[in-house]
Amino acid sequence: AQSVTQLGSHVSVSEGALVLLRCNYSSSVPPYLFWYVQYPNQGLQLLLKYTSAATLVKGINGFEAEFKKSETSFHLTKPSAHMSDAAEYFCAVSHTGGFKTIFGAGTRLFVKA
Amino acid sequence: DAGVIQSPRHEVTEMGQEVTLRCKPISGHDYLFWYRQTMMRGLELLIYFNNNVPIDDSGMPEDRFSAKMPNASFSTLKIQPSEPRDSAVYFCASSNAQARVNGYTFGSGTRLTVV
């Protein structure tokens, strides 16, 4: 069965610093992986997705994620944090048995001025 | 496209009352998902539909919850009777047949408070 684990429920960075949000997955078959972002009082928005075409995936707002099969990881990064990046970020994996998506517990990103 | 539209945005009701949450998916999307988000349990899939037919309702917590999709442009999630522990944000999401690959489009959610 597929699952995702997000390391760290809260991450705090200074404006301009590197953002690194960690995600590890468990899957017996090549997975489809996603990162979603949720701003306060809004729904989730797809940030980027991995579908086996390329291991380094670029998304919106300058975010990118690298699929590392050997580490079963799909960490999200951004070189320079902006105040507007403050939000909650969810890593997710598609369930190969159907069309369900399994979400991680989320990581809340705080950006300090 | 206006995106996935949910109504109401906020609902406050008394314990024991019936609550109906509504969702209009993106036109052309044939998959519709209902999720519940709480601090304690995170995002939980309640049920999903394909072409208006319920495919997996294993996440529906109990018989007090029911969901319908009478046509391709409308779905409801009903709780009867409601209880304080049902307080959460309920999200509707839709996708096309490539949901597994393309991901979902979420609505803005309905924040339900049962007092």
Side-chain angles (χ1 to χ4, degrees):
Chain A
Q2 284 78 17
S3 66
V4 289
T5 302
Q6 292 185 240
L7 302 177
S9 59
H10 297 84
V11 170
S12 183
V13 300
S14 297
E15 192 172 21
L18 171 72
V19 175
L20 172 60
L21 305 182
R22 300 177 187 272
C23 172
N24 287 88
Y25 69 91
S26 172
S27 177
S28 57
V29 296
Y32 295 117
L33 295 161
F34 308 87
W35 276 99
Y36 286 82
V37 59
Q38 184 180 29
Y39 298 103
N41 299 314
Q42 295 186 26
L44 282 71
Q45 178 183 357
L46 184 63
L47 200 55
L48 51 79
K49 60 189 178 186
Y50 167 74
T51 58
S52 78
T55 56
L56 183 62
V57 181
K58 294 186 183 298
I60 61 173
N61 301 335
F63 283 92
E64 61 183 35
E66 186 172 9
F67 173 72
K68 291 188 176 180
K69 184 178 179 180
S70 61
E71 299 177 6
T72 62
S73 68
F74 190 56
H75 302 332
L76 182 70
T77 61
K78 182 174 180 178
S80 177
H82 192 272
M83 297 296 289
S84 61
D85 295 327
E88 187 151 21
Y89 293 80
F90 293 89
C91 184
V93 61
S94 273
H95 195 290
T96 55
F99 288 87
K100 295 191 292 188
T101 293
I102 310 299
F103 287 86
T107 297
R108 186 167 295 277
L109 176 66
F110 297 92
V111 182
K112 301 174 290 186
Chain B
D1 200 318
V4 176
I5 299 172
Q6 291 186 246
S7 64
R9 286 298 307 273
H10 302 273
E11 177 79 44
V12 180
T13 191
E14 291 185 348
M15 181 174 62
Q17 296 298 306
E18 178 180 294
V19 176
T20 300
L21 311 181
R22 297 172 175 80
C23 175
K24 176 179 169 57
I26 289 175
S27 177
H29 280 187
D30 48 7
Y31 283 86
L32 184 140
F33 306 83
W34 282 101
Y35 279 85
R36 178 171 67 176
Q37 185 179 38
T38 61
M39 289 291 291
M40 292 298 295
R41 302 174 68 92
L43 272 163
E44 302 173 276
L45 177 65
L46 300 178
I47 185 172
Y48 80 91
F49 295 83
N50 176 219
N51 291 324
N52 314 335
V53 176
I55 302 301
D56 185 342
D57 65 354
S58 60
M60 296 286 263
E62 47 198 278
D63 293 345
R64 297 184 297 105
F65 285 70
S66 62
K68 294 182 179 180
M69 193 164 186
N71 57 62
S73 59
F74 184 65
S75 176
T76 60
L77 178 67
K78 185 176 294 186
I79 307 172
Q80 166 63 13
S82 57
E83 296 182 4
R85 59 193 169 119
D86 301 330
S87 297
V89 181
Y90 291 81
F91 288 104
C92 175
S94 71
S95 185
N96 56 23
Q98 298 302 312
R100 190 181 303 164
V101 177
N102 290 340
Y104 305 161
T105 301
F106 280 80
S108 297
T110 295
R111 182 174 297 276
L112 174 64
T113 303
V114 183
V115 298

